[in-house]
Amino acid sequence: MRLLLIEDDPAFALPLAADLRGAGYVVDTASDGAQGEFLGATEPYDAAILDLGLPKLAGLEVLKCWRDAGNHMPVIVLTARDAWHEKVDGFKAGADDYVCKPFHPQELLARLQAVLKRVHHFNQSKLTVFGVELDEDEQTATVAGGEAQSLTAIEFRLLRYFMLNAGKVLSKGQLGEHVYSESAEPDSNVLEVYVKRLRKIVGNDLIHTRRGQGYLFGLKP
């Protein structure tokens, strides 16, 4: 999953980005509202975490620009402004959640997971699809109630993206954008290697190759 973190305070943004990457997300950062608005409007992010007190363009204006343009990307507002009317303003502008500073990183991660599951129409405490249960805290996969299997960082990102988009054909390019950072994006052959490794974990019948299109996570019709 690819996230956009828009935060102008590096002392706050750097450790938060590290926490998010540690939780298995690809994270791009922007340090002002104008840059953040542009990235959110032009790149296929799964969610954005948006500060309100930003230089060049205020966070609420960034959010309004996205929503006015029909951009439905989930957005969590992250701010020190904790008055009730400021939260109301955030939700009215199109925020999906509102987290006040200071906060514990685990709270933000839990809220982020909840928002992403809601967007993809899941409501379980753990992500479970076609008998595969993904533990997002431990980054393990359990198949049909068997023993939990540890996943590498790439395997975890890839399996989570497959599971949240079950039943959809995902191109190699699309998978690469949501699994790798720009600086680490490998060629498609490496992606095929990771898909092969995931098949050994979840079973060959769950990840299907669509020739010329990509992959589909789901049961055979």
Side-chain angles (χ1 to χ4, degrees):
M1 311 293 283
R2 178 178 292 274
L3 304 180
L4 174 60
L5 171 61
I6 309 175
E7 166 63 57
D8 64 323
D9 182 356
F12 186 83
L14 292 176
L16 178 55
D19 287 335
L20 292 167
R21 291 183 179 113
Y25 297 99
V26 176
V27 183
D28 293 340
T29 60
S31 58
D32 65 64
Q35 180 191 21
E37 193 281 330
F38 175 77
L39 288 173
T42 56
E43 297 293 329
Y45 293 107
D46 295 289
I49 297 171
L50 174 66
D51 187 22
L52 292 187
L54 294 167
K56 296 187 179 179
L57 189 64
L60 276 186
E61 294 304 312
V62 172
L63 185 52
K64 289 175 182 176
C65 286
W66 288 340
R67 297 310 189 224
D68 288 346
N71 185 339
H72 302 297
M73 171 177 59
V75 175
I76 297 177
V77 167
L78 194 62
T79 179
R81 301 174 186 178
D82 60 356
W84 69 266
H85 58 86
E86 291 172 315
K87 296 178 184 178
V88 170
D89 289 343
F91 284 117
K92 284 186 174 180
D96 296 88
D97 202 352
Y98 198 105
V99 178
C100 296
K101 302 175 183 176
F103 64 94
H104 194 285
Q106 289 302 319
E107 178 189 356
L108 177 63
L109 290 172
R111 286 174 177 264
L112 176 61
Q113 290 174 2
V115 166
L116 290 171
K117 287 176 183 172
R118 188 163 62 244
V119 168
H120 291 275
H121 309 293
F122 290 95
N123 58 5
Q124 314 103 315
S125 58
K126 289 185 178 178
L127 185 60
T128 305
V129 183
F130 299 128
V132 178
E133 181 181 283
L134 187 69
D135 188 321
E136 295 178 84
D137 295 327
E138 299 296 330
Q139 300 192 4
T140 61
T142 302
V143 181
E147 186 176 347
Q149 302 183 65
S150 297
L151 303 170
T152 66
I154 298 298
E155 290 168 355
F156 172 71
R157 293 177 195 168
L158 187 57
L159 181 56
R160 179 169 57 185
Y161 196 72
F162 270 136
M163 292 174 70
L164 287 173
N165 292 279
K168 300 177 184 176
V169 176
L170 304 170
S171 70
K172 291 181 181 178
Q174 187 177 0
L175 289 169
E177 286 178 342
H178 292 268
V179 172
Y180 298 104
S181 64
E182 289 185 0
S183 60
E185 188 169 352
D187 60 38
S188 60
N189 291 334
V190 176
L191 187 63
E192 291 176 6
V193 170
Y194 280 108
V195 169
K196 184 177 181 180
R197 288 163 60 169
L198 277 186
R199 282 179 171 141
K200 290 183 178 178
I201 295 172
V202 303
N204 288 325
D205 292 337
L206 273 184
I207 303 176
H208 310 285
T209 300
R210 292 293 181 88
R211 192 170 300 279
Q213 295 178 294
Y215 299 98
L216 182 146
F217 185 89
L219 298 174
K220 288 184 177 177

